[in-house]
Amino acid sequence: MRWFLTILGVAFGITVFLFLDYALPSRQTVRITNTYNRLTEIGANSIFYASPDTGTVQNAAGQRDVRFIDTVRVNGKPYVYRNEDTGWIWPPYFKYDSSNLHAQATDRKSTSAAPEWVSVTSYGWRVSWLSIYPNAISIRPVAGPDVRPFNWPAVLILLVLGLLLLLIWRMWNQFHERSIEPAIRSADETWDRIDARADAARDRARGRLSRWWNGMKGR
């Protein structure tokens, strides 16, 4: 049973880590090289794109017109963002300005000869073989490629989650001490009384059987 609980705990921990890694905002210093719209096929990877309640429209073939932002990271590797509204449900970024962000990204395009560096805040993963792209939330110009703005939104969210977990843990401990432990002690005491009565009844039965047997032998 212990090994099962260990596996369950590890699986739960990995799930929570992946969830936070996907949903929390991240920041990268990049150089924007291109912005465009592309008719994109949405299929099994639909959970990594905006939900229909944000106003996105798909045709009968499951294709959607999606805005993209091509960038190059400081190490020279390409990194592509999508630019979609998030709506009011999930994830809770309340983004409805993808058009404005697209215009801002277009205005910040630059070349390697005259680079202009920006910090892009986004959430999500980039998985090329699944056609999954992080969703850009905001763009801020920075002084140079070595500037790494502090990711205070993610830190703030983690602090709030940590405080909530601490509060839940304290509430659970109080509930355990005030309700569960007394119930367990009461159940143990009840079981002990039942066991003692059973032992006494067994002893009485043995005594009666012994007296009956001795009486039979006396005859």
Side-chain angles (χ1 to χ4, degrees), residues 2 5 10 13 29 33 39 45 66-67 80 95 98 120 130 165 175 179 186-187 190 203 219:
R2 183 173 297 178
L5 293 177
V10 171
T29 298
T33 60
L39 200 59
N45 58 357
V66 181
R67 297 183 179 94
V80 182
K95 177 190 173 188
S98 57
V120 178
L130 286 177
L165 288 175
F175 175 74
S179 301
S186 177
T190 301
D203 292 339
R219 295 181 182 179

Side-chain angles (χ1 to χ4, degrees), residues 164-177:
L164 287 175
L165 288 175
L166 179 62
L167 178 61
I168 293 173
W169 179 74
R170 288 179 60 87
M171 292 174 60
W172 168 255
N173 277 348
Q174 292 179 358
F175 175 74
H176 191 274
E177 292 175 358

Side-chain angles (χ1 to χ4, degrees), residues 28 30-31 33 69-81 126:
Q28 290 210 40
V30 297
R31 177 173 59 85
T33 60
I69 303 173
D70 288 350
T71 70
V72 174
R73 292 185 285 188
V74 176
N75 59 10
K77 294 183 178 180
Y79 200 72
V80 182
Y81 297 90
R126 175 68 177 108

Side-chain angles (χ1 to χ4, degrees), residues 24-28 81 93 95 101 118-123 135-140 149 151 153:
L24 287 178
S26 63
R27 286 180 169 175
Q28 290 210 40
Y81 297 90
Y93 286 96
K95 177 190 173 188
L101 189 66
V118 296
S119 175
V120 178
T121 301
S122 65
Y123 72 90
N135 191 11
I137 300 299
S138 66
I139 297 173
R140 298 287 185 274
N151 192 5

Side-chain angles (χ1 to χ4, degrees), residues 13-209:
I14 293 175
T15 302
V16 172
F17 171 80
L18 292 176
F19 172 79
L20 293 176
D21 186 60
Y22 180 84
L24 287 178
S26 63
R27 286 180 169 175
Q28 290 210 40
T29 298
V30 297
R31 177 173 59 85
I32 299 175
T33 60
N34 194 20
T35 58
Y36 56 94
N37 288 46
R38 188 179 71 205
L39 200 59
T40 305
E41 185 173 351
I42 308 297
N45 58 357
S46 60
I47 61 172
F48 299 103
Y49 285 82
S51 58
D53 61 358
T54 60
T56 58
V57 178
Q58 290 182 199
N59 59 26
Q63 296 174 321
R64 179 187 302 177
D65 192 25
V66 181
R67 297 183 179 94
F68 288 95
I69 303 173
D70 288 350
T71 70
V72 174
R73 292 185 285 188
V74 176
N75 59 10
K77 294 183 178 180
Y79 200 72
V80 182
Y81 297 90
R82 62 186 170 93
N83 178 19
E84 291 189 294
D85 291 336
T86 61
W88 293 87
I89 307 300
W90 178 258
Y93 286 96
F94 313 113
K95 177 190 173 188
Y96 276 103
D97 62 345
S98 57
S99 298
N100 294 340
L101 189 66
H102 196 71
Q104 184 182 1
T106 302
D107 184 56
R108 294 291 179 180
K109 288 193 298 184
S110 64
T111 64
S112 58
E116 181 178 351
W117 297 96
V118 296
S119 175
V120 178
T121 301
S122 65
Y123 72 90
W125 299 322
R126 175 68 177 108
V127 184
S128 57
W129 58 278
L130 286 177
S131 297
I132 296 173
Y133 305 87
N135 191 11
I137 300 299
S138 66
I139 297 173
R140 298 287 185 274
V142 294
D146 297 328
V147 178
R148 301 288 190 277
F150 183 68
N151 192 5
W152 62 264
V155 174
L156 181 62
I157 293 172
L158 288 175
L159 286 175
V160 172
L161 290 176
L163 291 175
L164 287 175
L165 288 175
L166 179 62
L167 178 61
I168 293 173
W169 179 74
R170 288 179 60 87
M171 292 174 60
W172 168 255
N173 277 348
Q174 292 179 358
F175 175 74
H176 191 274
E177 292 175 358
R178 296 176 182 178
S179 301
I180 296 180
E181 288 184 359
I184 293 176
R185 287 195 298 268
S186 177
D188 289 340
E189 292 171 359
T190 301
W191 179 256
D192 290 340
R193 288 195 297 269
I194 293 174
D195 190 48
R197 291 174 183 174
D199 290 341
R202 186 170 56 251
D203 292 339
R204 288 195 298 270
R206 287 178 178 174
R208 292 172 184 172
L209 181 61

